Amino acid sequence: MPELNGEEQQKTRWLDQLKAHGYRMTRPRQAVVEAILGDPTHWRPEQVFERARRTYPNLGLVTVYRTLELLQKLGLIRRVHMERGCRSYTLASQEHSHQLICRDCGRVEEFSECDLLETVERLAKRTGYSIEAHWLELLGRCPACLVAG
Ligand SMILES: [Zn+2]
Ligand SMILES: [Zn+2]
């Protein structure tokens, strides 16, 4: 796991990213960012909405959706594709990384070891495609949930 030097530092980095791409850090956006920073699980927009509303009661759900889409576009968070097809997001830490997701508590571990790169290269050669990205998600149960039975 990469060392995060506190949520404040991460927040500053996110603010810089937004600014660098010409976006203002409005109060509603800030409430959304504060609701997700430091959370190692994945979350649905509705959950982010509930949490962010505690610091910014006038927040609208549409703003949450738009802010999450924006953060995803900037590569700060990423989509998680759950079995039941609902839309979730999690914090993104590395450029090439994959996710190990606990089905019970929702905890997400990122990992970067991946044997797909060779396959991707071979496939690109064979098909002539320029392959630019791939996703891999593993679902299971985390040690804490296994102990809890
Ligand atoms: Zn778990
Ligand atoms: Zn990979």
Side-chain angles (χ1 to χ4, degrees):
M1 288 270 278
E3 271 293 303
L4 294 178
N5 296 319
E7 284 173 33
E8 279 308 312
Q9 193 168 327
Q10 199 179 8
K11 195 164 120 190
T12 310
R13 193 167 61 83
W14 285 27
L15 293 182
D16 290 345
Q17 283 276 336
L18 282 166
K19 261 193 246 153
H21 289 85
Y23 298 101
R24 284 185 311 126
M25 185 49 116
T26 57
R27 285 281 312 284
R29 275 182 189 152
Q30 189 162 342
V32 171
V33 166
E34 281 166 3
I36 59 180
L37 271 181
D39 187 337
T41 64
H42 60 83
W43 0 271
R44 282 177 291 110
E46 296 77 16
Q47 294 170 310
V48 176
F49 176 59
E50 285 306 319
R51 263 191 272 168
R53 247 186 352 174
R54 284 179 221 148
T55 52
Y56 190 76
N58 288 334
L59 189 67
L61 184 57
V62 174
T63 305
V64 174
Y65 272 101
R66 290 208 185 116
T67 305
L68 291 174
E69 270 163 28
L70 175 60
L71 294 173
Q72 185 198 5
K73 207 170 78 182
L74 298 179
L76 301 171
I77 63 174
R78 58 167 65 195
R79 283 282 296 274
V80 177
H81 302 264
M82 297 301 288
E83 289 164 297
R84 270 164 255 134
C86 66
R87 164 146 63 163
S88 287
Y89 295 90
T90 188
L91 300 174
S93 61
Q94 293 162 300
E95 218 173 290
H96 175 225
S97 70
H98 298 298
Q99 295 161 335
L100 181 55
I101 301 163
C102 177
R103 276 174 158 156
D104 286 353
C105 70
R107 188 172 181 92
V108 179
E109 300 284 346
E110 295 224 324
F111 62 94
S112 55
E113 62 260 49
C114 163
D115 291 334
L116 280 174
L117 293 174
E118 265 178 48
T119 309
V120 165
E121 222 168 278
R122 223 180 315 126
L123 201 58
K125 245 180 228 154
R126 181 156 63 78
T127 61
Y129 273 60
S130 152
I131 300 175
E132 287 146 7
H134 66 267
W135 283 268
L136 175 65
E137 286 178 11
L138 304 176
L139 298 171
R141 293 199 167 77
C142 75
C145 288
L146 281 176
V147 168

